[in-house]
Structures are given as C-alpha cells and as structure tokens.
Coordinates of all heavy atoms in Angstrom, one line a residue:
N1 N 30.3 40.8 -66.0 CA 29.8 41.1 -64.7 C 30.8 41.9 -63.8 O 31.9 42.0 -64.2 CB 29.2 39.9 -64.0 CG 30.3 38.9 -63.7 OD1 31.5 39.3 -63.4 ND2 30.0 37.6 -63.6
S2 N 30.4 42.3 -62.7 CA 31.2 43.1 -61.8 C 32.3 42.3 -61.1 O 33.2 43.0 -60.5 CB 30.4 43.9 -60.9 OG 29.6 43.1 -60.1
S3 N 32.2 41.0 -61.0 CA 33.2 40.3 -60.2 C 34.3 39.6 -61.0 O 35.3 39.2 -60.5 CB 32.4 39.2 -59.4 OG 32.0 38.2 -60.3
G4 N 34.0 39.3 -62.3 CA 34.9 38.5 -63.1 C 34.6 37.0 -63.0 O 35.3 36.2 -63.5
V5 N 33.6 36.7 -62.2 CA 33.3 35.3 -62.0 C 31.9 35.0 -62.4 O 31.0 35.7 -61.9 CB 33.5 34.9 -60.5 CG1 33.1 33.4 -60.2 CG2 34.9 35.1 -60.0
R6 N 31.6 34.0 -63.2 CA 30.3 33.7 -63.7 C 29.4 33.4 -62.5 O 29.8 32.5 -61.7 CB 30.3 32.6 -64.7 CG 28.9 32.2 -65.2 CD 29.0 31.1 -66.1 NE 28.9 31.6 -67.5 CZ 29.1 30.9 -68.6 NH1 29.5 29.7 -68.5 NH2 29.0 31.5 -69.7
G7 N 28.3 34.0 -62.4 CA 27.3 33.7 -61.3 C 27.5 34.6 -60.1 O 26.7 34.4 -59.1
V8 N 28.5 35.5 -60.1 CA 28.7 36.3 -58.9 C 28.7 37.8 -59.4 O 29.5 38.1 -60.3 CB 30.0 36.0 -58.2 CG1 30.3 37.0 -57.1 CG2 30.0 34.6 -57.7
C9 N 27.9 38.6 -58.8 CA 27.9 40.1 -59.1 C 27.6 40.9 -57.9 O 27.1 40.4 -56.9 CB 27.0 40.4 -60.2 SG 25.3 40.1 -59.8
W10 N 27.9 42.2 -58.0 CA 27.7 43.1 -56.9 C 26.2 43.6 -57.0 O 25.8 44.1 -58.0 CB 28.6 44.3 -56.9 CG 28.4 45.3 -55.8 CD1 28.0 46.5 -56.0 CD2 28.6 45.1 -54.4 NE1 27.9 47.2 -54.8 CE2 28.3 46.3 -53.8 CE3 29.1 44.0 -53.6 CZ2 28.4 46.5 -52.4 CZ3 29.2 44.2 -52.3 CH2 28.8 45.4 -51.7
D11 N 25.5 43.5 -55.9 CA 24.1 44.0 -55.8 C 24.1 45.3 -55.1 O 24.2 45.4 -53.9 CB 23.2 43.0 -55.0 CG 21.8 43.4 -55.0 OD1 21.4 44.6 -55.3 OD2 20.9 42.5 -54.6
K12 N 24.1 46.4 -56.0 CA 24.3 47.7 -55.5 C 23.2 48.1 -54.5 O 23.4 48.8 -53.6 CB 24.3 48.7 -56.7 CG 24.8 50.0 -56.3 CD 24.9 51.1 -57.4 CE 24.9 50.6 -58.8 NZ 25.1 51.7 -59.8
S13 N 21.9 47.7 -54.8 CA 20.8 48.1 -54.0 C 20.9 47.5 -52.6 O 20.3 48.1 -51.7 CB 19.5 47.6 -54.7 OG 19.4 46.2 -54.7
R14 N 21.6 46.4 -52.4 CA 21.7 45.7 -51.1 C 23.1 45.8 -50.5 O 23.3 45.3 -49.4 CB 21.2 44.3 -51.1 CG 19.7 44.2 -51.5 CD 19.2 42.8 -51.5 NE 17.9 42.8 -52.0 CZ 17.1 41.7 -52.0 NH1 17.6 40.6 -51.5 NH2 15.9 41.7 -52.5
N15 N 24.0 46.3 -51.3 CA 25.4 46.4 -50.9 C 25.9 45.0 -50.4 O 26.6 44.8 -49.4 CB 25.6 47.4 -49.7 CG 25.5 48.8 -50.2 OD1 25.9 49.1 -51.3 ND2 24.9 49.7 -49.4
K16 N 25.7 44.0 -51.3 CA 26.1 42.6 -51.0 C 26.5 42.0 -52.3 O 26.1 42.4 -53.4 CB 25.0 41.8 -50.3 CG 24.7 42.3 -48.9 CD 24.0 41.2 -48.2 CE 23.7 41.7 -46.8 NZ 24.6 41.2 -45.8
W17 N 27.3 40.9 -52.2 CA 27.6 40.1 -53.4 C 26.5 39.1 -53.6 O 26.1 38.4 -52.7 CB 28.9 39.4 -53.2 CG 30.1 40.4 -53.3 CD1 30.7 40.9 -52.2 CD2 30.7 40.9 -54.4 NE1 31.7 41.8 -52.6 CE2 31.7 41.8 -54.0 CE3 30.5 40.7 -55.8 CZ2 32.5 42.4 -54.9 CZ3 31.3 41.4 -56.7 CH2 32.3 42.2 -56.3
K18 N 26.0 39.0 -54.8 CA 25.0 38.0 -55.2 C 25.6 36.9 -55.9 O 26.3 37.0 -56.9 CB 23.9 38.7 -56.0 CG 22.7 37.8 -56.3 CD 21.6 38.5 -57.1 CE 21.9 38.5 -58.5 NZ 20.8 39.0 -59.3
A19 N 25.3 35.7 -55.4 CA 25.7 34.4 -56.0 C 24.4 33.8 -56.6 O 23.4 33.6 -55.9 CB 26.3 33.5 -55.0
S20 N 24.5 33.4 -57.8 CA 23.4 32.7 -58.4 C 23.9 31.6 -59.4 O 25.0 31.7 -59.9 CB 22.4 33.6 -59.2 OG 23.1 34.3 -60.2
F21 N 23.1 30.5 -59.4 CA 23.5 29.4 -60.3 C 22.3 28.9 -61.0 O 21.2 28.7 -60.4 CB 24.0 28.3 -59.4 CG 24.4 27.0 -60.1 CD1 25.5 27.0 -60.9 CD2 23.7 25.9 -60.1 CE1 25.9 25.9 -61.7 CE2 24.0 24.8 -60.7 CZ 25.1 24.8 -61.6
N22 N 22.4 28.8 -62.3 CA 21.3 28.3 -63.2 C 21.7 26.9 -63.7 O 22.8 26.6 -64.0 CB 21.2 29.2 -64.4 CG 20.8 30.6 -64.1 OD1 20.2 30.9 -63.0 ND2 21.2 31.6 -64.9
Y23 N 20.7 26.1 -63.8 CA 20.8 24.7 -64.3 C 19.6 24.4 -65.2 O 18.5 24.6 -64.7 CB 21.0 23.7 -63.1 CG 21.4 22.4 -63.6 CD1 22.7 22.1 -63.9 CD2 20.4 21.4 -63.6 CE1 23.1 20.8 -64.4 CE2 20.8 20.1 -64.1 CZ 22.1 19.8 -64.4 OH 22.5 18.6 -64.8
N24 N 19.9 24.0 -66.4 CA 18.8 23.7 -67.4 C 17.9 24.9 -67.5 O 16.7 24.7 -67.6 CB 18.1 22.4 -67.0 CG 18.9 21.2 -67.2 OD1 19.8 21.2 -68.0 ND2 18.5 20.1 -66.5
G25 N 18.4 26.1 -67.5 CA 17.6 27.3 -67.8 C 16.8 27.8 -66.6 O 16.0 28.7 -66.7
K26 N 17.1 27.2 -65.4 CA 16.3 27.6 -64.2 C 17.3 28.0 -63.1 O 18.3 27.4 -63.0 CB 15.4 26.5 -63.7 CG 14.4 26.1 -64.7 CD 13.5 24.9 -64.1 CE 12.5 24.5 -65.1 NZ 11.7 23.4 -64.7
I27 N 16.9 29.1 -62.4 CA 17.7 29.5 -61.2 C 17.5 28.5 -60.1 O 16.4 28.3 -59.6 CB 17.3 30.9 -60.8 CG1 17.6 31.9 -61.9 CG2 18.1 31.3 -59.5 CD1 17.0 33.3 -61.6
V28 N 18.5 27.8 -59.8 CA 18.4 26.8 -58.7 C 19.0 27.2 -57.4 O 18.8 26.6 -56.3 CB 19.0 25.4 -59.1 CG1 18.2 24.8 -60.3 CG2 20.5 25.5 -59.5
F29 N 19.8 28.3 -57.5 CA 20.4 28.9 -56.3 C 20.6 30.4 -56.4 O 21.1 30.8 -57.5 CB 21.8 28.2 -56.0 CG 22.5 28.8 -54.9 CD1 22.2 28.5 -53.6 CD2 23.6 29.6 -55.1 CE1 22.9 29.0 -52.5 CE2 24.3 30.2 -54.0 CZ 24.0 29.8 -52.7
Q30 N 20.2 31.1 -55.4 CA 20.5 32.6 -55.4 C 20.5 33.0 -54.0 O 19.6 32.8 -53.2 CB 19.4 33.3 -56.2 CG 19.7 34.8 -56.4 CD 18.7 35.4 -57.4 OE1 17.7 34.8 -57.8 NE2 19.0 36.6 -57.8
K31 N 21.7 33.7 -53.6 CA 21.8 34.1 -52.2 C 22.8 35.3 -52.3 O 23.7 35.4 -53.1 CB 22.4 33.0 -51.4 CG 22.5 33.2 -49.9 CD 22.9 32.0 -49.2 CE 23.0 32.3 -47.7 NZ 23.4 31.1 -46.9
R32 N 22.7 36.1 -51.3 CA 23.6 37.3 -51.1 C 24.6 37.1 -50.0 O 24.2 36.5 -49.0 CB 22.8 38.6 -51.0 CG 22.2 39.0 -52.3 CD 21.0 40.0 -52.2 NE 20.4 40.3 -53.4 CZ 19.6 39.5 -54.1 NH1 19.2 38.4 -53.5 NH2 19.1 39.9 -55.2
F33 N 25.8 37.6 -50.2 CA 26.9 37.4 -49.2 C 27.6 38.8 -48.9 O 27.6 39.7 -49.8 CB 27.9 36.5 -49.7 CG 27.4 35.1 -49.9 CD1 26.7 34.7 -51.1 CD2 27.4 34.1 -48.9 CE1 26.2 33.4 -51.3 CE2 26.9 32.9 -49.0 CZ 26.3 32.5 -50.2
D34 N 28.2 38.9 -47.8 CA 28.9 40.1 -47.4 C 30.3 40.2 -48.2 O 30.8 41.2 -48.4 CB 29.2 40.1 -45.9 CG 27.9 40.3 -45.1 OD1 27.0 41.1 -45.6 OD2 27.8 39.8 -44.0
T35 N 30.9 39.0 -48.5 CA 32.1 39.0 -49.2 C 32.1 38.3 -50.5 O 31.3 37.4 -50.7 CB 33.2 38.3 -48.3 OG1 33.0 36.9 -48.3 CG2 33.3 38.9 -46.9
K36 N 32.9 38.8 -51.4 CA 33.0 38.2 -52.7 C 33.4 36.7 -52.7 O 32.9 35.9 -53.3 CB 34.0 39.0 -53.6 CG 34.2 38.5 -55.0 CD 35.1 39.3 -55.8 CE 35.5 38.7 -57.1 NZ 36.5 39.5 -57.8
D37 N 34.4 36.5 -51.8 CA 34.9 35.1 -51.6 C 33.8 34.1 -51.2 O 33.8 33.0 -51.8 CB 36.1 35.1 -50.6 CG 37.4 35.7 -51.1 OD1 37.5 35.8 -52.4 OD2 38.2 36.0 -50.3
D38 N 33.0 34.6 -50.3 CA 31.9 33.7 -49.9 C 30.9 33.4 -51.0 O 30.4 32.3 -51.2 CB 31.1 34.3 -48.7 CG 31.9 34.2 -47.4 OD1 32.9 33.5 -47.3 OD2 31.5 35.0 -46.5
A39 N 30.6 34.4 -51.8 CA 29.7 34.3 -53.0 C 30.4 33.3 -54.0 O 29.7 32.4 -54.6 CB 29.4 35.6 -53.6
V40 N 31.6 33.5 -54.3 CA 32.3 32.6 -55.3 C 32.3 31.2 -54.8 O 32.1 30.3 -55.5 CB 33.8 33.1 -55.5 CG1 34.6 32.1 -56.3 CG2 33.8 34.5 -56.2
N41 N 32.6 31.0 -53.5 CA 32.7 29.6 -52.9 C 31.3 29.0 -53.0 O 31.2 27.8 -53.3 CB 33.1 29.7 -51.5 CG 34.6 30.0 -51.4 OD1 35.4 29.8 -52.3 ND2 35.0 30.5 -50.2
A42 N 30.2 29.7 -52.8 CA 28.9 29.2 -52.9 C 28.5 28.7 -54.3 O 28.0 27.7 -54.5 CB 27.9 30.2 -52.4
V43 N 28.9 29.5 -55.3 CA 28.7 29.2 -56.7 C 29.5 27.9 -57.0 O 29.0 27.0 -57.7 CB 29.0 30.3 -57.6 CG1 29.0 29.9 -59.1 CG2 27.9 31.4 -57.5
Q44 N 30.7 27.9 -56.6 CA 31.6 26.7 -56.9 C 31.0 25.5 -56.3 O 31.1 24.4 -56.9 CB 33.0 27.0 -56.5 CG 33.7 28.0 -57.3 CD 35.1 28.4 -56.8 OE1 35.4 28.2 -55.7 NE2 35.9 29.0 -57.7
E45 N 30.5 25.6 -55.1 CA 29.9 24.4 -54.4 C 28.7 23.9 -55.2 O 28.5 22.7 -55.4 CB 29.5 24.7 -53.0 CG 30.6 24.8 -52.0 CD 31.4 23.5 -51.9 OE1 30.8 22.4 -51.8 OE2 32.6 23.6 -52.0
K46 N 27.8 24.8 -55.7 CA 26.7 24.4 -56.5 C 27.1 23.8 -57.8 O 26.5 22.8 -58.3 CB 25.8 25.6 -56.8 CG 25.0 26.0 -55.6 CD 24.0 24.9 -55.1 CE 23.4 25.2 -53.8 NZ 22.5 24.1 -53.3
Q47 N 28.2 24.3 -58.4 CA 28.7 23.7 -59.6 C 29.1 22.3 -59.4 O 28.8 21.4 -60.2 CB 29.9 24.5 -60.2 CG 29.5 25.9 -60.7 CD 30.7 26.8 -61.1 OE1 31.7 26.6 -60.5 NE2 30.4 27.7 -62.0
K48 N 29.8 22.0 -58.3 CA 30.2 20.7 -57.9 C 29.0 19.8 -57.7 O 29.0 18.6 -58.1 CB 31.1 20.7 -56.7 CG 32.5 21.2 -56.9 CD 33.3 21.2 -55.6 CE 34.5 22.0 -55.7 NZ 35.2 22.2 -54.4
E49 N 28.1 20.3 -56.9 CA 26.9 19.6 -56.6 C 26.1 19.1 -57.9 O 25.6 18.0 -57.9 CB 25.9 20.4 -55.7 CG 24.7 19.8 -55.2 CD 23.8 20.7 -54.4 OE1 24.4 21.5 -53.6 OE2 22.6 20.6 -54.5
Y50 N 26.1 19.9 -58.9 CA 25.4 19.6 -60.1 C 26.3 19.0 -61.2 O 25.8 18.8 -62.3 CB 24.7 20.9 -60.7 CG 23.4 21.2 -59.9 CD1 23.4 21.9 -58.7 CD2 22.1 20.8 -60.4 CE1 22.2 22.2 -58.0 CE2 21.0 21.1 -59.8 CZ 21.0 21.8 -58.6 OH 19.8 22.0 -57.9
G51 N 27.5 18.8 -60.9 CA 28.5 18.2 -61.8 C 28.8 19.1 -63.0 O 29.1 18.6 -64.1
V52 N 28.8 20.4 -62.8 CA 29.1 21.4 -63.8 C 30.5 21.8 -63.7 O 31.0 22.2 -62.6 CB 28.2 22.6 -63.7 CG1 28.5 23.7 -64.7 CG2 26.7 22.2 -63.8
V53 N 31.2 21.8 -64.9 CA 32.6 22.3 -64.9 C 32.6 23.8 -64.9 O 31.9 24.4 -65.7 CB 33.3 21.8 -66.2 CG1 34.7 22.4 -66.3 CG2 33.3 20.3 -66.3
P54 N 33.3 24.4 -63.9 CA 33.3 25.9 -63.9 C 33.8 26.5 -65.3 O 34.6 25.9 -66.0 CB 34.4 26.2 -62.8 CG 34.4 25.0 -62.0 CD 34.2 23.9 -62.9
A55 N 33.2 27.6 -65.6 CA 33.4 28.2 -66.9 C 34.9 28.5 -67.1 O 35.4 28.3 -68.2 CB 32.6 29.5 -67.1
T56 N 35.6 28.9 -66.1 CA 37.1 29.3 -66.2 C 37.9 28.0 -66.6 O 38.8 28.0 -67.4 CB 37.6 29.9 -65.0 OG1 37.3 29.1 -63.8 CG2 37.0 31.3 -64.8
A57 N 37.5 26.9 -65.9 CA 38.2 25.6 -66.2 C 37.9 25.1 -67.6 O 38.8 24.7 -68.3 CB 37.8 24.6 -65.2
E58 N 36.7 25.3 -68.0 CA 36.3 24.9 -69.4 C 37.0 25.7 -70.4 O 37.5 25.2 -71.4 CB 34.8 25.0 -69.5 CG 34.2 24.6 -70.9 CD 32.7 24.8 -71.0 OE1 32.0 25.0 -70.0 OE2 32.3 24.8 -72.2
R59 N 37.1 27.0 -70.2 CA 37.8 27.9 -71.1 C 39.3 27.6 -71.2 O 39.8 27.5 -72.2 CB 37.6 29.4 -70.6 CG 37.5 30.4 -71.7 CD 37.1 31.8 -71.3 NE 35.8 31.8 -70.6 CZ 35.5 32.2 -69.4 NH1 36.5 32.7 -68.7 NH2 34.3 32.2 -68.9
A60 N 39.9 27.3 -70.0 CA 41.3 27.0 -70.0 C 41.6 25.7 -70.7 O 42.5 25.6 -71.4 CB 41.8 26.9 -68.5
F61 N 40.7 24.7 -70.6 CA 40.8 23.5 -71.3 C 40.7 23.7 -72.8 O 41.5 23.1 -73.6 CB 39.7 22.5 -70.9 CG 39.8 21.1 -71.5 CD1 40.8 20.2 -71.2 CD2 38.9 20.8 -72.5 CE1 40.9 19.0 -71.8 CE2 39.0 19.5 -73.1 CZ 40.0 18.6 -72.7
R62 N 39.8 24.5 -73.3 CA 39.6 24.8 -74.7 C 40.9 25.4 -75.3 O 41.4 25.1 -76.4 CB 38.4 25.6 -75.0 CG 37.1 24.8 -75.1 CD 36.0 25.6 -75.6 NE 35.2 26.1 -74.4 CZ 34.8 27.3 -74.2 NH1 35.1 28.3 -75.1 NH2 34.2 27.7 -73.1
V63 N 41.5 26.4 -74.5 CA 42.7 27.1 -74.9 C 43.8 26.1 -75.0 O 44.6 26.1 -76.0 CB 43.0 28.2 -74.0 CG1 44.4 28.8 -74.2 CG2 42.0 29.3 -74.1
L64 N 43.9 25.2 -74.0 CA 45.0 24.2 -74.0 C 44.9 23.3 -75.2 O 45.9 23.1 -75.9 CB 44.9 23.4 -72.7 CG 45.9 22.2 -72.6 CD1 47.3 22.7 -72.5 CD2 45.5 21.3 -71.4
I65 N 43.7 22.8 -75.5 CA 43.5 21.9 -76.7 C 43.9 22.7 -78.0 O 44.5 22.1 -78.9 CB 42.1 21.4 -76.7 CG1 41.8 20.5 -75.6 CG2 41.8 20.6 -78.1 CD1 42.7 19.3 -75.4
K66 N 43.4 23.9 -78.1 CA 43.7 24.7 -79.3 C 45.2 24.9 -79.5 O 45.7 24.7 -80.6 CB 43.0 26.1 -79.1 CG 43.2 27.0 -80.3 CD 42.5 28.3 -80.1 CE 42.7 29.2 -81.3 NZ 42.1 30.5 -81.1
N67 N 45.9 25.2 -78.4 CA 47.4 25.3 -78.4 C 48.1 24.1 -78.8 O 49.0 24.1 -79.6 CB 47.9 25.9 -77.1 CG 47.5 27.3 -76.9 OD1 47.2 28.0 -77.8 ND2 47.6 27.7 -75.6
I68 N 47.6 22.9 -78.3 CA 48.2 21.6 -78.7 C 48.0 21.4 -80.2 O 48.9 20.9 -80.9 CB 47.6 20.5 -77.8 CG1 48.1 20.6 -76.4 CG2 47.9 19.1 -78.4 CD1 47.4 19.7 -75.4
L69 N 46.8 21.6 -80.7 CA 46.5 21.3 -82.1 C 47.2 22.3 -83.0 O 47.7 21.9 -84.1 CB 45.0 21.4 -82.3 CG 44.1 20.4 -81.6 CD1 42.6 20.7 -81.9 CD2 44.5 19.0 -82.2
N70 N 47.4 23.5 -82.6 CA 48.2 24.5 -83.4 C 49.7 24.2 -83.4 O 50.4 24.7 -84.3 CB 47.9 25.9 -82.9 CG 46.5 26.3 -83.3 OD1 45.9 25.8 -84.2 ND2 45.9 27.3 -82.6
A71 N 50.2 23.5 -82.4 CA 51.6 23.2 -82.3 C 52.1 22.2 -83.3 O 53.3 22.0 -83.5 CB 51.9 22.8 -80.8
K72 N 51.1 21.4 -83.8 CA 51.5 20.3 -84.7 C 51.9 20.8 -86.1 O 51.5 21.7 -86.6 CB 50.3 19.3 -84.8 CG 50.1 18.6 -83.5 CD 49.0 17.6 -83.7 CE 48.9 16.8 -82.4 NZ 47.9 15.7 -82.5

C-alpha cells in the first residue's frame, strides 16, 4: 500500500488518508483523515479495541523466534 502501514492508504480521489480495519472478513471501521499519523493512530486504536496484534509486531515476533531457533 502507499503508506507502509496495513489498513492505511492514500485516497487520491479525496486527497486524504484512508484508515480501514477488517475483522472476521468484514470492514468494521473506515474513515478518512487529513494526516497519515491520524489514520495510523485510528487503525491502531481499532486493533487494540478488537485485541488484534498489529501486523508489524507480529512480523517482528516471528523474525525474533526464527533468529532464536536458528542460533541453536
């Protein structure tokens, strides 16, 4: 996507950042913001609300575990 953050992208037709969050295959949140930071914060709040681990944290955890296992 255009932001590097899952759930946040640039909406060229409206000149705003779009934040969206899917849960169980359904869009449960979608809103546009003037700043990328506001859009990212909104998605992160929804992730916390639904108890979802952000993709970047999940990815970092997988890399950490892989490195630990490969170090043995």
